[in-house]
Every structure is written in C-alpha cells, then in structure tokens.
Amino acid sequence: MEANTNEAKLILLAILKELPGLSPAELQSLAQDTLFFDYFTIAEALSTLSEQKLVSILEAKNELRRDASGRVRQSCYLTAAGEAVLDQLSGQISLPVRKQIKALSKESKAASEVNAFYQMNGHGSYDTYLEIKDQGQTLLSIHIDLPEEARARKFCDHWPNRAADIYRFLLADLSRDE
C-alpha cells in the first residue's frame, strides 16, 4: 500500500505541474483517470502531500467560485518543495502514465481557449476584444471601447488570468432574482 501511495503522490505532483490551480476534486478525478489508483489511495496521497507542504491547497479570500455546497472553491498548487521532489523523482513515473498526464494536460488546455486583443479604431480610441471559447463554441465575447492604449493593453494582459472568474461572476450575478 505504501508503494501505491508514493506512486500516487508522484502522479499528483506531475498533474499539478502541468495543470496548476485544479480543485482537489478535479485533481483526484484526473489522477483516477490514469486508472492506476482508487479514490482512497489518491485522497490519502493528496492529504499527505498537503501535510508535507509539497502541495498547497488554497482558498482565496475574494474567491467568487463556489462548490456545489456553496463553500469557496479551493485550488491546489505545487510548492517549490513539491517541484523539487518531482524533479528528483519524476523518472519513477512510468512512461505510459507520463504520456497520459501530458495528453490530459493538452486536452484540458485545448478544451477552453481565452483570447484578448485590441486595435485602434477610427475615433482615436481602442476596440478591445475579450473572449472565452470552449470546444470551439464562444461562451463569452466582450467588446469594450477604451480611450487609451495602455488601458486596452492592461485589459488584454489581465484577461487570461481573470476570464474564468469574470465569466462565473457574470453568470451568478445575472442569474440572481432581485
């Protein structure tokens, strides 16, 4: 059982290196997709990694994302110590599992696409376009006319890191009954 848990820990670290910010449930689900471990082995491994400070499970104070129970969504991140351990021991992860983790990472990244760009319009301001796509379908498209190029650039720079939260906020806020 100890060997299984240690291997599960390495797989969790490898997944987090490829896909930082997953919720504990998402991380466990992806780890189970490797088909090598059951839920309990993965849960024990994640708990141990957190206790050993190889993985941080964070809850942001201003987090808008909530789980099904209404609790603030947690996100998992590889710590510097976790990355050092993974760098040292990643060779112990079998090649098929490493390939599967890479494939899961590519699928996850390809499934959703975040785009942002701006261009000067004929009125001396900047048309700024912010977009989220999933599986090729546009989920959200925003066009904002901004007066300054610096502001348009800032919007585009911030969009990739904030798009998911803004999308969730819009859905939640515009769905409220008032």
Side-chain angles (χ1 to χ4, degrees):
M1 182 70 166
E2 181 71 29
N4 263 358
T5 303
N6 287 336
E7 196 173 353
K9 288 182 208 174
L10 281 175
I11 289 172
L12 291 174
L13 292 174
I15 291 171
L16 282 178
K17 184 169 185 171
E18 291 294 321
L19 296 165
L22 295 171
S23 72
E26 291 166 334
L27 178 58
Q28 289 175 342
S29 176
L30 285 174
Q32 281 180 274
D33 286 347
T34 65
L35 303 177
F36 288 96
F37 306 104
D38 63 23
Y39 171 84
F40 297 105
T41 302
I42 294 167
E44 179 184 340
L46 181 56
S47 176
T48 302
L49 288 170
S50 179
E51 289 168 9
Q52 294 173 339
K53 303 206 183 314
L54 300 177
V55 168
S56 291
I57 301 175
L58 304 174
E59 187 177 284
K61 290 182 181 178
N62 297 326
E63 181 66 68
L64 296 174
R65 296 175 291 183
R66 305 260 175 203
D67 66 14
S69 306
R71 293 186 305 259
V72 172
R73 182 185 185 274
Q74 295 178 320
S75 299
C76 299
Y77 296 94
L78 195 60
T79 64
E83 191 158 355
V85 167
L86 180 61
D87 289 344
Q88 194 79 29
L89 301 175
S90 63
Q92 294 181 21
I93 300 172
S94 69
L95 184 59
V97 172
R98 282 190 300 218
K99 284 182 177 180
Q100 189 171 7
I101 291 169
K102 286 283 188 197
L104 289 170
S105 173
K106 284 180 185 174
E107 285 173 23
S108 178
K109 290 175 182 173
S112 60
E113 187 179 328
V114 176
N115 300 309
F117 68 95
Y118 66 91
Q119 62 189 18
M120 187 174 208
N121 62 31
H123 308 290
S125 57
Y126 294 84
D127 288 328
T128 307
Y129 300 91
L130 310 171
E131 181 179 72
I132 301 173
K133 289 186 174 186
D134 186 37
Q135 309 275 329
Q137 180 181 355
T138 301
L139 298 178
L140 178 66
S141 181
I142 300 173
H143 169 228
I144 304 172
D145 187 4
L146 296 171
E148 303 141 2
E149 182 179 14
R151 185 173 289 177
R153 186 178 319 112
K154 186 179 242 183
F155 273 50
C156 290
D157 289 346
H158 288 245
W159 183 246
N161 295 326
R162 298 185 181 158
D165 291 337
I166 291 169
Y167 177 70
R168 286 185 195 95
F169 171 79
L170 283 172
L171 288 178
D173 196 56
L174 295 174
S175 298
R176 286 191 323 204
D177 292 329
E178 287 188 24

